[in-house]
Amino acid sequence: AIVFGAGWLRRQMADPVARLKIDERLLRMRMVGDVIRKVETARLARTLGTLLKNGVPLLSGLAVARNVMTNGALAESVEQAADEVKTGGGLGYALTQSKRFPKLALQMISVGEESGELDGMLMKVADTFDIEVKNTLDRLLAALVPATTIVMTVLVAFIMLAIVLPIMNI
């Protein structure tokens, strides 16, 4: 079943439409979606901030940053935002329309646009979300140790029962 499931998942990930649905489903998951959203936001902000700092135009930078993202649903949102920016809208407003990015990042991007320091603010967004992801993963790993201990205790108890019960029946 595991081999069959892995093969099926691999075929699904090769199909762009199915991959987009899987990416959207991952974003809706409670803990996983939040971590993915923060990692992708940090990746987008760092890439776009670096490009803007080095003189690349915003539309070209958005195209490059979209290619850096691994989640198809968020990459699609960036593509739609680039279309909105082409028509004269702001980046913060355009990304807000998708409702897929964290509100803090969108507010920081809007402030960066209004102050004329978008590249610097994007780098701050990336640093902020990198720290948040690190803290979230540290909390998850800290919770994993007691959970693993409980699972191992239950497994050892079943093994002990499997050994002791036949002896007791004799």
Side-chain angles (χ1 to χ4, degrees):
I2 293 173
V3 172
F4 175 75
W8 177 81
L9 184 62
R10 186 173 178 180
R11 272 182 272 144
Q12 292 295 316
M13 294 301 273
D15 180 31
V17 175
R19 172 145 185 158
L20 183 63
K21 288 181 182 177
I22 291 170
D23 286 343
E24 287 174 350
R25 203 169 289 139
L26 281 173
L27 286 176
R28 282 188 297 239
M29 292 175 73
R30 188 172 192 155
M31 290 300 290
V32 175
D34 192 39
V35 171
I36 290 172
R37 191 173 288 113
K38 287 177 182 178
V39 167
E40 292 289 332
T41 300
R43 186 176 293 156
L44 170 70
R46 187 164 314 281
T47 303
L48 190 56
T50 302
L51 290 170
L52 291 176
K53 188 173 275 188
N54 290 312
V56 176
L58 180 60
L59 290 175
S60 301
L62 282 172
V64 171
R66 182 180 57 83
N67 291 332
V68 171
M69 301 180 80
T70 56
N71 187 288
L74 291 175
E76 181 182 291
S77 297
V78 171
E79 187 174 347
Q80 291 170 353
D83 292 339
E84 178 75 25
V85 170
K86 278 182 193 174
T87 61
L91 179 62
Y93 175 77
L95 290 174
T96 303
Q97 297 304 313
S98 69
K99 296 185 174 114
R100 289 182 175 155
F101 291 95
K103 289 181 181 178
L104 176 64
L106 298 173
Q107 291 171 351
M108 290 175 74
I109 290 171
S110 295
V111 168
E113 280 182 312
E114 291 172 8
S115 67
E117 293 292 325
L118 182 58
D119 54 351
M121 191 59 77
L122 283 168
M123 298 305 278
K124 287 180 184 176
V125 168
D127 293 340
T128 300
F129 281 98
D130 282 340
I131 291 169
E132 281 192 28
V133 167
K134 181 188 175 300
N135 291 340
T136 302
L137 291 178
D138 287 345
R139 282 194 311 263
L140 287 174
L141 289 175
L144 187 64
V145 172
T148 305
T149 305
I150 291 170
V151 168
M152 293 301 290
T153 304
V154 170
L155 286 174
V156 168
F158 277 124
I159 292 170
M160 298 271 301
L161 282 174
I163 293 171
V164 172
L165 282 178
I167 293 172
M168 297 296 277
N169 285 336
I170 294 176

